[in-house]
Amino acid sequence: MSVNLIRELASVLPPEGLVTDPDVLEAHRHDQAGWAAAGVPGVLVRPASTAEVQAVLRVAAALRVPVVARGAGSGLSGGANATDGCIVLSLTRMNRILEIDRRGLLAVVQPGVLNGALKAAAAEHGLWYAPDPASWEFSTIGGNVATNAGGLCCVKYGVTGDAVLGLEAVLADGSVVRTGGRTVKNVAGYDLTRLFVGSEGTLGVVTEATLRLRPRPPPATTLVASFPTLVGAGAAVTEIMASTRPSVLELMDRTTVRAVESFKPLGLDVESAALLLARSDAGGEQGVAECTRMVAACEAAGATFVAHSADEAEGELLLVARRLAFPALERQGATLLDDVGVPLSRIAELLAAVELIAERRGVLIGTFGHAGDGNMHPTLVFDRNDPDAVGRAKAAFDDILRVVLDMGGTITGEHGVGALKRPFLAAQLGPESLRLHHAIKSALDPLGLLNPGKML
Amino acid sequence: MSVNLIRELASVLPPEGLVTDPDVLEAHRHDQAGWAAAGVPGVLVRPASTAEVQAVLRVAAALRVPVVARGAGSGLSGGANATDGCIVLSLTRMNRILEIDRRGLLAVVQPGVLNGALKAAAAEHGLWYAPDPASWEFSTIGGNVATNAGGLCCVKYGVTGDAVLGLEAVLADGSVVRTGGRTVKNVAGYDLTRLFVGSEGTLGVVTEATLRLRPRPPPATTLVASFPTLVGAGAAVTEIMASTRPSVLELMDRTTVRAVESFKPLGLDVESAALLLARSDAGGEQGVAECTRMVAACEAAGATFVAHSADEAEGELLLVARRLAFPALERQGATLLDDVGVPLSRIAELLAAVELIAERRGVLIGTFGHAGDGNMHPTLVFDRNDPDAVGRAKAAFDDILRVVLDMGGTITGEHGVGALKRPFLAAQLGPESLRLHHAIKSALDPLGLLNPGKML
């Protein structure tokens, strides 16, 4: 810990904005990613305003100290992990909803606002903030923006980036830039908003976001179907996507179904290869009609069991299995929740490939996720105290990423690259794209102080 | 025209790819923007492959010659206007649809493919390419990507950028970069796809696009309503957007309604302040239910006349007035079709401000456009042979952009900055954002050869 750094930061921050207590620092070393390395931060700052963020970044630039921004620390890629001696910049004190504009269908929030708090505030105005990562109750908007977080609703309503109209960000030199604005459409200049969304704190620190709100969709109709083969489940996914507009389209493989059933017996068919869960919020008769078309698609694809309900409470019950997927797998050992994407037509292939990897490497892997977006979460379960098991899990993790790249997929659909997948980014992007990434990074952060060692 | 330049280009292109005929060059000097300056190109190249585009850009870089890429030349901001001595790079020969993947819900196309040709090809597979700029029958995908083109369907289905999964682009140094991919969700690295979308040929030349297709929506229910006041029409727009999901939500002001009625008598109420046209494609009963809610919103906002129809042919008739808006105004003189955006809540204010400007400057201005996105097209009509009228129109044009910026709006919602609005970009972005734009431009095009004098 540099005395000089602390002194400089103390000169620009009030006492409550500067923390050096080792126990608190320890609690701010990493996010929820299992395997990503984390260093020991030099100091934690908790700015309460954009001006304080600017002051911190100016000190960091002057003293050449890396800055790792973080929200709730619920990330799954080590994107918020500290590097040795860095300044951890927590945005959690900047947690005010500055504005909800019902007529303008937008909200202006600080980055530390919880996704769930924004949803609740929007609901008070009869509106809806769509993005719904699984972490919505405890993750922050700033973190959601940094990772371009996804969720269940993306299949119909898009990812976090689709809800961001504009941003305020502090750049590495302490200057403040505003991107986008309060309009839905805007082509004046480059799309800097989208450049910051998903940039994982490597280009600037987001200090304010203007977000799009929507009317609440009608109550949903819910469907569950089980399939004797992965190919059948994959065919149902592509047919549903080609002929309807599901508001949810999730899939769980046999391993996940069995984990759920053993965690909480719901009467799921543990012999089926996959369980599909779909929703339509088209509303009223049309919702039922869409659901009927989905049922037909499932039956045509060989589903052995299909159930559906237009009742919202019943629908929630049908979704319980999906919501228990990760908790159920977590109960069986240490987990690494992976996050990969493939072209929609290759979902079944992905699941089959993961099954094969699981078998070959002798690792339990339950796969579930957002089938309608081709975005799945193979979840590796292992005994963290068995070095051999950990080694096999790591090998399986690498295998999955390689298979996904071979299938023209992506190493991350919604969790981000962070520290966890940084070694694989070059293989996906190729040398020309990587060079372009570095050129942009250098243009915005020439000293390389913003979240070094993450993503790039 | 540089002999050296022609010789170098001739060494890398087949004869049919290189054009020096002055008449042909003259036809490639500018797009459809009225007032934007255009120079005289040195040469026109018509590459047939990515490799030929690379070769052209390498020659351009070696000889320091600017390159202006263009598609159909249907742009409305002078974004494709030539600069003196430049290479005009037409992508119209790269017009192949490389792939339609029904199961993957995507298409891969070359940039010279017409939007309408892609729509038709998608329809053969029972699918839909959503983006629908007014120019869809004759504009190219490359041009649509370069401007991030909008249209009527954006209010529900998003702009061109929302349909772009990945791009191949040739950079200023002749290298080829691929962005994005074939997955719907992808957060591996910066969103370079969105950086190129809307960059108006200033960062690279797009040579291939991977585009998202969707199932065709159900038949639409259509509504027309006329309002005695702009405030009433604006209130209807915000209420409809806050409570339903229209697939079209368009507005025409009194001047436009009168121009249409005098062009083709449809029995429109020429005394009304504004005409609203809305559609729901929620389908079946739900479409009717949404339409009923829209009717109620219009009546609550004081609409004096409301008509609606669930019949598609009748619905098309109701939309005729909107489709005639620009042709009707064009018939009354030379036109400048402007394109501005305001926050959704300020539509009525914008229309009132434009009316005031029209009155003060003595210029006929008909305003119509995509009310549900806050994206309107005030269209200035003037006698191009009367210097005083032209001067007043130019003054009114400037007034409108200033008013829009005062309202927290954007100087362009879907047409682009190009040459036409370049003088106003700094006022919208502010110095910090502009500096960031230049840093990115320099990182990608250090010699400043790609479409100089446009946007930045």
Side-chain angles (χ1 to χ4, degrees):
Chain A
M1 190 196 316
S2 153
V3 175
N4 197 19
L5 172 62
I6 306 297
R7 196 179 49 227
E8 291 293 323
L9 288 172
S11 75
V12 297
L13 293 171
E16 68 273 21
L18 187 62
V19 182
T20 55
D21 178 335
D23 291 343
V24 181
L25 293 187
E26 179 63 30
H28 285 77
R29 277 185 63 196
H30 53 77
D31 62 19
Q32 297 298 313
W35 290 345
V40 179
V43 60
L44 167 69
V45 297
R46 305 177 71 233
S49 67
T50 299
E52 286 184 7
V53 174
Q54 290 183 271
V56 169
L57 290 197
R58 284 197 202 105
V59 168
L63 301 180
R64 304 287 194 273
V65 180
V67 177
V68 178
R70 65 178 280 143
S74 55
L76 293 163
S77 71
N81 283 13
T83 53
D84 284 335
C86 78
I87 299 170
V88 169
L89 193 165
S90 166
L91 280 313
T92 48
R93 285 180 69 213
M94 293 180 67
N95 62 355
R96 279 184 302 139
I97 295 174
L98 302 172
E99 183 185 351
I100 302 264
D101 177 357
R102 185 186 180 271
R103 291 179 63 229
L105 290 180
L106 61 85
V108 183
V109 306
Q110 291 187 316
V113 168
L114 296 184
N115 178 307
L118 175 56
K119 278 192 197 300
E124 279 177 32
H125 292 76
L127 295 174
W128 184 46
Y129 175 65
D132 62 348
S135 59
W136 66 274
E137 288 169 286
F138 48 87
S139 64
T140 65
I141 295 295
N144 293 174
V145 169
T147 55
N148 196 5
L152 270 66
C153 81
C154 307
V155 68
K156 183 161 181 178
Y157 297 101
V159 291
T160 296
D162 294 310
V164 182
L165 300 176
L167 293 172
E168 177 189 83
V170 178
L171 303 183
D173 64 1
S175 62
V176 177
V177 67
R178 293 194 76 93
T179 72
R182 295 167 71 95
T183 62
V184 179
K185 288 160 80 179
N186 182 357
V187 292
Y190 301 142
D191 195 342
L192 298 184
T193 304
R194 285 286 189 150
L195 186 61
F196 283 107
V197 171
S199 65
E200 304 185 14
T202 65
L203 298 178
V205 177
V206 169
T207 46
E208 191 184 290
T210 304
L211 303 166
R212 186 178 183 170
L213 304 178
R214 299 169 178 272
R216 295 188 70 80
T221 301
T222 310
L223 168 157
V224 176
S226 58
F227 292 85
T229 67
L230 290 176
V231 169
V237 168
T238 52
E239 186 51 34
I240 286 172
M241 289 302 294
S243 60
T244 66
R245 297 196 71 210
S247 56
V248 166
L249 186 52
E250 300 283 312
L251 192 147
M252 296 161 64
D253 74 350
R254 188 194 324 251
T255 303
T256 309
V257 168
R258 288 182 176 181
V260 169
E261 192 61 25
S262 98
F263 179 37
K264 187 163 176 176
L266 297 166
L268 304 175
D269 177 3
V270 294
E271 295 309 317
S272 64
L275 193 71
L276 199 67
L277 303 107
R279 280 193 145 172
S280 166
D281 66 359
E285 295 290 319
Q286 181 64 11
V288 175
E290 275 214 334
C291 197
T292 304
R293 232 173 307 154
M294 292 179 191
V295 169
C298 290
E299 286 171 347
T304 44
F305 169 81
V306 186
H308 59 105
S309 172
D311 183 84
E312 269 222 301
E314 270 181 41
E316 276 305 315
L317 280 179
L318 293 178
L319 276 189
V320 161
R322 170 62 183 88
R323 301 206 193 275
L324 290 176
F326 186 60
L329 288 164
E330 251 187 328
R331 224 176 117 261
Q332 310 211 349
T335 53
L336 183 85
L337 180 61
D338 199 355
D339 163 53
V340 297
V342 291
L344 198 53
S345 53
R346 305 188 78 166
I347 282 282
E349 262 177 274
L350 171 68
L351 291 171
V354 171
E355 274 190 5
L356 203 64
I357 290 167
E359 201 180 295
R360 257 196 217 144
R361 297 289 185 184
V363 181
L364 187 73
I365 309 180
T367 302
F368 60 91
H370 319 303
D373 286 319
N375 178 207
M376 301 300 291
H377 300 306
T379 301
L380 297 87
V381 185
F382 53 95
D383 177 355
R384 85 166 77 238
N385 299 315
D386 174 355
D388 181 61
V390 172
R392 283 182 282 118
K394 288 196 171 174
F397 177 79
D398 291 4
D399 289 348
I400 293 172
L401 296 185
R402 268 190 292 266
V403 155
V404 162
L405 290 176
D406 285 346
M407 291 173 60
T410 177
I411 58 170
T412 173
E414 59 180 17
H415 292 175
V417 177
L420 188 64
K421 292 182 176 171
R422 187 182 172 220
F424 294 87
L425 187 65
Q428 177 169 340
L429 297 183
E432 295 298 347
S433 173
L434 201 62
R435 195 169 58 88
L436 200 46
H437 275 76
H438 282 290
I440 290 167
K441 169 73 173 172
S442 297
L444 271 77
D445 178 22
L447 300 174
L449 296 178
L450 296 180
N451 214 7
K454 312 300 163 51
M455 184 194 290
L456 292 180
Chain B
M1 191 196 315
S2 154
V3 175
N4 197 22
L5 172 63
I6 306 298
R7 196 179 50 226
E8 290 293 323
L9 288 172
S11 75
V12 297
L13 292 172
E16 68 273 21
L18 186 63
V19 183
T20 55
D21 179 335
D23 290 344
V24 181
L25 293 188
E26 177 62 30
H28 286 77
R29 279 185 63 196
H30 53 77
D31 63 19
Q32 297 298 314
W35 289 345
V40 179
V43 59
L44 167 68
V45 297
R46 305 177 71 232
S49 67
T50 299
E52 286 185 8
V53 173
Q54 290 184 269
V56 168
L57 291 197
R58 285 198 199 104
V59 169
L63 300 180
R64 305 286 196 271
V65 181
V67 176
V68 179
R70 65 179 278 142
S74 55
L76 294 163
S77 71
N81 284 10
T83 53
D84 285 334
C86 79
I87 299 169
V88 170
L89 193 166
S90 166
L91 280 310
T92 49
R93 284 180 70 215
M94 293 180 69
N95 62 355
R96 280 185 302 140
I97 295 175
L98 302 173
E99 184 185 352
I100 302 266
D101 178 356
R102 183 186 182 271
R103 291 179 62 229
L105 290 181
L106 60 85
V108 183
V109 305
Q110 291 188 314
V113 168
L114 297 184
N115 179 306
L118 175 58
K119 278 192 196 303
E124 278 177 32
H125 292 76
L127 295 174
W128 183 48
Y129 176 65
D132 62 347
S135 60
W136 67 275
E137 288 171 285
F138 48 90
S139 64
T140 66
I141 295 296
N144 294 173
V145 168
T147 55
N148 196 5
L152 270 67
C153 80
C154 307
V155 67
K156 183 161 181 178
Y157 296 100
V159 291
T160 297
D162 294 310
V164 182
L165 299 176
L167 293 172
E168 175 190 86
V170 179
L171 303 183
D173 65 1
S175 61
V176 177
V177 68
R178 294 195 74 95
T179 72
R182 294 167 71 95
T183 62
V184 179
K185 288 160 78 179
N186 182 358
V187 293
Y190 301 141
D191 194 344
L192 299 185
T193 304
R194 284 288 188 148
L195 187 60
F196 284 107
V197 171
S199 65
E200 305 187 13
T202 65
L203 297 179
V205 177
V206 170
T207 47
E208 192 184 290
T210 303
L211 303 167
R212 184 178 186 171
L213 303 179
R214 300 169 177 271
R216 296 189 68 79
T221 300
T222 310
L223 167 157
V224 176
S226 59
F227 291 85
T229 66
L230 291 176
V231 169
V237 168
T238 53
E239 186 51 34
I240 286 172
M241 289 302 294
S243 60
T244 66
R245 296 198 71 209
S247 57
V248 166
L249 187 51
E250 299 283 312
L251 193 147
M252 297 160 66
D253 74 350
R254 188 196 323 252
T255 303
T256 309
V257 168
R258 288 182 175 180
V260 168
E261 192 61 25
S262 97
F263 178 39
K264 185 164 177 178
L266 296 166
L268 303 175
D269 178 4
V270 294
E271 296 308 317
S272 65
L275 192 72
L276 199 68
L277 303 107
R279 281 191 145 175
S280 166
D281 65 1
E285 295 291 317
Q286 181 64 11
V288 175
E290 275 214 336
C291 198
T292 305
R293 231 173 309 153
M294 292 179 192
V295 168
C298 290
E299 286 170 348
T304 44
F305 168 82
V306 187
H308 60 102
S309 172
D311 182 85
E312 268 222 300
E314 269 180 42
E316 277 305 315
L317 281 178
L318 293 177
L319 276 190
V320 161
R322 170 62 183 86
R323 300 206 194 275
L324 290 176
F326 186 60
L329 288 163
E330 252 187 325
R331 225 176 116 262
Q332 309 208 350
T335 52
L336 184 86
L337 179 62
D338 200 353
D339 163 52
V340 297
V342 292
L344 199 54
S345 53
R346 305 188 78 165
I347 283 279
E349 261 177 274
L350 170 68
L351 291 170
V354 171
E355 275 190 4
L356 202 64
I357 289 167
E359 200 180 298
R360 257 195 217 144
R361 296 292 187 182
V363 181
L364 186 74
I365 309 181
T367 302
F368 59 92
H370 318 304
D373 286 320
N375 177 208
M376 301 300 291
H377 300 307
T379 300
L380 298 87
V381 185
F382 53 94
D383 177 354
R384 84 164 79 239
N385 299 314
D386 174 355
D388 181 61
V390 172
R392 280 182 283 116
K394 288 197 171 175
F397 177 78
D398 292 4
D399 289 349
I400 293 172
L401 295 185
R402 269 191 290 266
V403 155
V404 162
L405 290 177
D406 285 347
M407 290 171 65
T410 177
I411 58 169
T412 173
E414 58 180 16
H415 292 174
V417 176
L420 187 65
K421 291 179 176 173
R422 190 181 170 219
F424 295 87
L425 187 65
Q428 177 169 338
L429 297 183
E432 295 298 345
S433 173
L434 201 63
R435 194 169 60 88
L436 199 45
H437 275 76
H438 282 291
I440 289 167
K441 168 73 173 172
S442 297
L444 271 78
D445 177 22
L447 301 173
L449 297 178
L450 297 181
N451 214 7
K454 310 301 160 49
M455 186 194 288
L456 292 179

